[in-house]
Amino acid sequence: MKENNTLEATPVASARQIKDQKAPKAKRIVVGTDVHLRGYQVTRKVDNAAIGAVANLRSETELLLYVEKQCEQAQEVVVVYEAGPLGYGLYRKLRARGVKCLVCAPDSSQQKRKRRKNNQIDTRTLTSNLFNYLNGNEAALQLVRVPTVEQEQARLASRQHDQLVQERKRLGAQGNSLLLSQGFGSWKNWWRPKAFSRLEQLLPAWLFEMLQSWVDLLRALDEKIQRAKASLTKGYSGSRPKGAGANSLVQLGSEVLDWNLYTTRRKIACLAGMVPSEWSTGESQRRGSITKVGVPAIRRIITEMAWRIIQFQPQYPPVQKWQEVLQGTNRALKKKAVVAIGRQLMVDLWRLQTGRASAQELKLIMIGG
C-alpha cells in the first residue's frame, strides 16, 4: 500500500493576529474623563508611563469606543469621572461592558491654589489621582457611593419632596415680606384658608390682589407635598423609635443607601458630617465644630429627629447626658447638645439597622410594627 506523504497546509495567521502577538498588552491603563453635556475630554496613563495627550470626544458613543480600544491594549482598564448633573448613566454602561469604573467627588482645590482651571487640567488631574489611588493612596480620590437604579429612584423621590417644601417656603416668605413692608406684621402660613379669609377683611384691595397671585401656587404645593409625604410613608414598615417618623426614616434610608456599607460608628457619623473638626500637631490637640463634610440631607433629617427624640424619649441616654444643658437658657449650648444627641442617634440607628444592638440595649422605645 502506497504511503501518503502529503503535508497538510498550515493556516496562515492574519496580519491583525500577528500584530497582537508581537505587541504585548499593558498591565493596566487608567483613564480620566471630564464629562460634559456636549463633549468629553479623555486622557490615559499606560502602566508607569507619562500621562498622554488629552483627546476631545464629541459624544458618549465615541467615549465608549475609546474605552473598548483601551481594553484591547491592556489586561485591565480603569475609568474615573466626577459626579455631576449627568448622573451615573456612563458608570452603568461601562460596568455593563465589564470595565471597572469609579465615580469621585469634584475637587478643584489644586486649581484654586494655582488659579488655573480648564478641562485639560481637570482630565489630567483625574488620571493622576486615579493612578495614585490604585497604587495605595486612598486619599487621592474621594469616591462617591453609586446607587442602584432602585435606590436612585427612591432618593430622587425623597429629594423632590424636600424641593417642594423649599419652594413653598420661598413663595410663602415673599408674601410674608409684602405684608411686613406694608405694616401688617408677620403671618405664619398666610395662604391657608383660615388665615387668608382674615387677611381679606384687613387688607386693602390692591394688596390682597397681589397676595392672590401666590395663593393658588402655594395651595397646589401643599397638596403635592401631602401626596409626596404619603407616598414616602408607605415605603416604611415595621417598628420604629418613638419620635422618629416613618417619613423621616424612609428619607434617611434613601440617603444612606445601604447601612451595611459602613463598618464603624465613625464612618456612619462622618456620612452626616457630624464629627468634630481637628487642628492638632505634636502634643497639641484641638477640636472644633463639626466638619459638615457629609450629606446635608442626612444632617438635616437626623437633627430634626433629635429634637423629637428629646421630647418623646427623655430616658434615652444621650438625652439624659445633656439634660442640664437642654433645660438651660443658653441657645448656643443647646444647639451643640442637639448635634451631639443627633450624632449618637445616627450611630444607634445604624446599630439597629445592622443588628449590632437591640432597642432594649440602646434604651429606645419602639412603636408600630
Side-chain angles (χ1 to χ4, degrees), residues 53 86 93 97 121 125 128 132 154 169 186 209 224-225 248 263 286 314-315 335 349 351 369:
L86 297 183
K93 290 176 182 177
R97 287 167 167 78
I121 292 176
T125 301
S128 175
N132 293 333
K169 287 181 179 179
S186 177
E209 185 178 352
K224 292 182 181 296
I225 290 169
S248 297
T263 55
R286 178 186 173 189
Q315 84 296 334
K335 288 182 179 180
L349 289 175
R351 287 170 172 163

Side-chain angles (χ1 to χ4, degrees), residues 45-341:
K45 181 176 174 65
V46 181
D47 290 334
N48 293 319
I51 297 175
V54 177
N56 293 308
L57 307 179
R58 293 171 294 180
S59 66
E60 187 181 81
T61 302
E62 287 190 14
L63 174 62
L64 295 175
L65 290 173
Y66 177 90
V67 173
E68 288 178 1
K69 185 177 179 180
Q70 308 311 310
C71 292
E72 297 173 0
Q73 302 174 19
Q75 298 174 11
E76 181 187 22
V77 175
V78 187
V79 181
V80 67
Y81 70 96
E82 292 180 337
L86 297 183
Y88 306 105
L90 177 60
Y91 169 88
R92 296 188 178 108
K93 290 176 182 177
L94 288 171
R95 297 288 289 188
R97 287 167 167 78
V99 178
K100 184 177 180 181
C101 181
L102 304 176
V103 184
C104 66
D107 180 18
S108 58
S109 56
Q110 181 179 352
Q111 290 86 342
K112 287 180 180 178
R113 185 173 67 252
K114 294 183 177 180
R115 300 183 67 180
R116 289 182 67 242
K117 183 184 186 303
N118 56 49
N119 295 339
Q120 287 75 20
I121 292 176
D122 290 347
T123 306
R124 296 175 68 85
T125 301
L126 278 172
T127 305
S128 175
N129 290 344
L130 175 59
F131 178 79
N132 293 333
Y133 176 83
L134 294 175
N135 283 279
N137 183 8
E138 295 184 356
L141 286 177
Q142 184 181 350
L143 297 185
V144 171
R145 300 163 299 126
V146 179
T148 64
V149 175
E150 294 76 14
Q151 288 173 337
E152 187 174 18
Q153 290 174 355
R155 188 168 66 181
L156 287 173
S158 171
R159 292 183 177 181
Q160 186 184 57
H161 167 272
D162 293 342
Q163 289 163 357
L164 290 171
V165 172
Q166 289 299 320
E167 184 64 15
R168 183 177 64 181
K169 287 181 179 179
R170 186 182 69 84
L171 291 176
Q174 289 183 8
N176 197 51
S177 66
L178 185 60
L179 291 169
L180 281 168
S181 68
Q182 299 303 311
F184 290 95
S186 177
W187 289 68
K188 185 179 180 180
N189 299 331
W190 57 266
W191 65 91
R192 301 278 168 78
K194 185 176 180 180
F196 200 63
S197 61
R198 290 180 59 193
L199 286 172
E200 186 176 10
Q201 301 172 2
L202 298 174
L203 302 181
W206 68 270
L207 183 56
F208 185 76
E209 185 178 352
M210 290 187 69
L211 289 178
Q212 281 183 318
S213 301
W214 288 306
V215 167
D216 292 339
L217 293 173
L218 285 163
R219 291 181 180 176
L221 283 171
D222 277 342
E223 295 177 5
K224 292 182 181 296
I225 290 169
Q226 289 302 319
R227 287 198 295 267
K229 189 173 293 186
S231 177
L232 288 173
T233 304
K234 289 179 182 177
Y236 188 85
S237 59
S239 59
R240 54 186 174 84
K242 187 178 181 181
N247 183 35
S248 297
L249 289 173
V250 169
Q251 288 192 287
L252 183 61
S254 69
E255 294 292 342
V256 173
L257 298 182
D258 185 358
W259 294 93
N260 292 304
L261 288 174
Y262 306 95
T263 55
T264 65
R265 61 181 184 178
R266 182 172 179 81
K267 288 182 178 180
I268 197 67
C270 284
L271 183 64
M274 301 181 82
V275 294
S277 57
E278 184 174 357
W279 301 91
S280 301
T281 179
E283 297 181 357
S284 173
Q285 186 179 35
R286 178 186 173 189
R287 292 188 175 183
S289 57
I290 59 174
T291 60
K292 296 187 179 181
V293 297
V295 182
I298 292 180
R299 190 163 55 253
R300 175 189 59 79
I301 294 167
I302 206 70
T303 301
E304 292 176 355
M305 200 180 294
W307 281 107
R308 294 195 297 269
I309 290 292
I310 291 170
Q311 180 179 357
F312 291 102
Q313 301 212 40
Q315 84 296 334
Y316 182 48
V319 177
Q320 288 290 316
K321 178 180 177 180
W322 293 94
Q323 194 66 42
E324 184 177 347
V325 174
L326 293 171
Q327 292 177 351
T329 57
N330 191 318
R331 296 181 64 183
L333 286 179
K334 280 186 179 181
K335 288 182 179 180
K336 290 182 180 180
V338 171
V339 169
I341 294 169

